[in-house]
Amino acid sequence: MSNKRIVSGMRPTGKLHLGHFHGVLSNWLELQKSYECFFFAADWHSLTTEYANTDGIKDSINEMVLDWLAFGIDPEQSVIFEQSKVPQHAELNLILGMITPVSWLERNPTYKEMQENLSTKDLSTFGFLGYPVLMASDIIVYKSAKVPVGQDQVPHLEITREIARRFNYLYGEVFPEPQALLTETPKVLGLDGRKMSKSYNNAIFLSDDAETTRKKVLSMVTDTQRVYKKDPGEPDRCVAFALHSLYVPQEKRDEIVVGCRSAELGCVDCKKILAQCMIDTLAPFRAKREELASKPGVVDEVLTEGSRKAEVVAKETMNEVRAALKV
């Protein structure tokens, strides 16, 4: 088992937006240079909340993985696979479910929070309560040494560590306790100032064309206290300016700050600069995505081969698990 193995997954929700790139994908790109990486489309996890509406999951996987590949997640460097195509995830989930106390799941901070946020859905299911067990299975079936998480996700990883610890206590040492690989995740604001999210309808998608991107940026909230162009503005109050640090060169940003605070630069002109910088930055990715999308079956080929590679590793682990269980 490599002590530099990383496992990370993403629920398929379709095309990815800027928040996904800066929060997850950019980190994956760096990790695959130094670690043995397993990146998966977590389609079974989608069923914990979308069990009544599964029609779009397959298309969502295709759109999501196209974004991965276009941005440089490389199947030659990383194992890219589909969770449901590796049945050992489900087998280990069943076994770990036998030993995981219900109280551990009920105290999971996300459990009640998601029930409140998704109040229109019936989440009083065994699968939703037990999704941390499936998450643990996803990680430890590959004996992952580290898991990339933000600070707010560390408590979730602790459940995985507790489950691995309990298995080892009952049956002997099989699983390493995965460590958190803390990652900086910039908060990317959407068009309306809230966190960028598809569900809020405030997202700029990585695959949006140039004109769509421009229109979205020009619609963004700016400094709400700057009523007229002649009024001095404050970039720190401006939602749109939050994206400047990601796309506009520092020298140009310095000019914008001066122009905003002196009222020499209007909000519309400022957003035009941001839109063009964003379009220029994303152009190579968008061209690569169009090229990949023109090749039928390219995502299926990547996922089929990646799932085959992942299953080889997962089978080895499950052989050890069965030996430990003496079954």
Side-chain angles (χ1 to χ4, degrees):
M1 191 275 294
S2 169
N3 63 0
K4 296 193 71 176
R5 184 174 291 164
I6 291 288
V7 176
S8 190
M10 196 182 291
R11 286 170 59 123
T13 57
K15 295 179 179 179
L16 304 182
H17 53 64
L18 300 184
H20 292 119
F21 173 66
H22 295 287
V24 180
L25 277 185
S26 59
N27 185 42
W28 284 9
L29 287 172
E30 291 303 311
L31 290 174
Q32 75 175 0
K33 297 175 184 177
S34 306
Y35 290 88
E36 179 187 8
C37 293
F38 287 67
F39 299 132
F40 66 95
D43 51 347
W44 273 336
H45 276 291
S46 291
L47 295 179
T48 60
T49 56
E50 304 300 326
Y51 60 85
N53 181 25
T54 61
D55 291 346
I57 292 178
K58 187 65 180 175
D59 286 342
S60 290
I61 291 172
N62 188 74
E63 296 288 355
M64 180 179 73
V65 176
L66 273 176
D67 284 334
W68 293 4
L69 299 174
F71 254 108
I73 304 303
D74 186 355
E76 296 299 320
Q77 290 182 275
S78 303
V79 179
I80 303 171
F81 67 100
E82 190 173 347
Q83 183 187 31
S84 64
K85 296 296 188 292
V86 184
Q88 289 76 18
H89 286 241
E91 183 181 5
L92 184 55
N93 176 52
L94 174 66
I95 292 169
L96 298 180
M98 302 299 182
I99 67 169
T100 302
V102 173
S103 60
W104 290 7
L105 304 176
E106 290 177 332
R107 77 170 189 242
N108 173 20
T110 306
Y111 179 60
K112 290 184 179 180
E113 179 184 327
M114 288 189 69
Q115 281 188 317
E116 292 171 359
N117 291 341
L118 301 175
S119 57
T120 58
K121 297 180 180 181
D122 180 8
L123 299 182
S124 57
T125 62
F126 173 75
F128 182 70
L129 175 65
Y131 89 85
V133 182
L134 179 57
M135 182 181 71
S137 304
D138 298 332
I139 296 168
I140 66 177
V141 77
Y142 299 103
K143 295 190 174 182
S144 177
K146 295 181 179 180
V147 180
V149 293
Q151 187 67 50
D152 60 329
Q153 297 170 309
V154 171
H156 303 165
L157 181 59
E158 187 56 35
I159 297 178
T160 296
R161 291 167 48 80
E162 288 178 334
I163 291 173
R165 194 178 305 136
R166 184 170 174 83
F167 184 96
N168 292 341
Y169 173 77
L170 292 171
Y171 307 114
E173 292 288 331
V174 173
F175 300 114
E177 293 181 23
Q179 304 295 316
L181 182 62
L182 292 177
T183 58
E184 291 294 328
T185 305
K187 183 179 180 181
V188 179
L189 299 180
L191 305 178
D192 56 3
R194 292 182 292 176
K195 180 181 178 182
M196 189 171 289
S197 171
K198 186 176 181 179
S199 61
Y200 292 158
N201 195 30
N202 68 353
I204 298 173
F205 292 95
L206 299 176
S207 53
D208 282 341
D209 60 30
E211 187 56 30
T212 300
T213 300
R214 197 182 313 277
K215 287 180 178 178
K216 286 184 175 181
V217 172
L218 289 175
S219 74
M220 288 190 76
V221 175
T222 53
D223 179 358
T224 57
Q225 296 182 37
R226 187 182 186 186
V227 181
Y228 302 104
K229 181 179 178 180
K230 63 181 181 180
D231 297 332
E234 176 47 62
D236 291 340
R237 294 194 300 256
C238 177
V239 172
F241 192 77
L243 287 174
H244 280 65
S245 61
L246 300 174
Y247 293 98
V248 179
Q250 181 66 55
E251 184 177 350
K252 191 64 179 177
R253 290 206 308 274
D254 292 342
E255 293 178 11
I256 290 170
V257 169
V258 173
C260 177
R261 288 174 175 164
S262 65
E264 294 176 5
L265 179 68
C267 294
V268 172
D269 291 333
C270 179
K271 287 190 286 186
K272 284 181 179 179
I273 295 170
L274 170 62
Q276 192 58 54
C277 288
M278 189 178 292
I279 290 166
D280 292 344
T281 300
L282 295 174
F285 155 76
R286 289 169 170 170
K288 179 66 174 177
R289 194 185 196 281
E290 287 185 13
E291 178 191 343
L292 290 168
S294 70
K295 301 175 181 178
V298 64
V299 169
D300 286 339
E301 290 175 11
V302 168
L303 292 177
T304 297
E305 178 60 16
S307 298
R308 184 194 65 77
K309 293 177 181 178
E311 188 170 7
V312 170
V313 178
K315 278 183 175 179
E316 293 176 357
T317 301
M318 291 312 301
N319 287 338
E320 292 183 50
V321 169
R322 292 188 203 99
L325 291 171
K326 299 180 174 62
V327 296

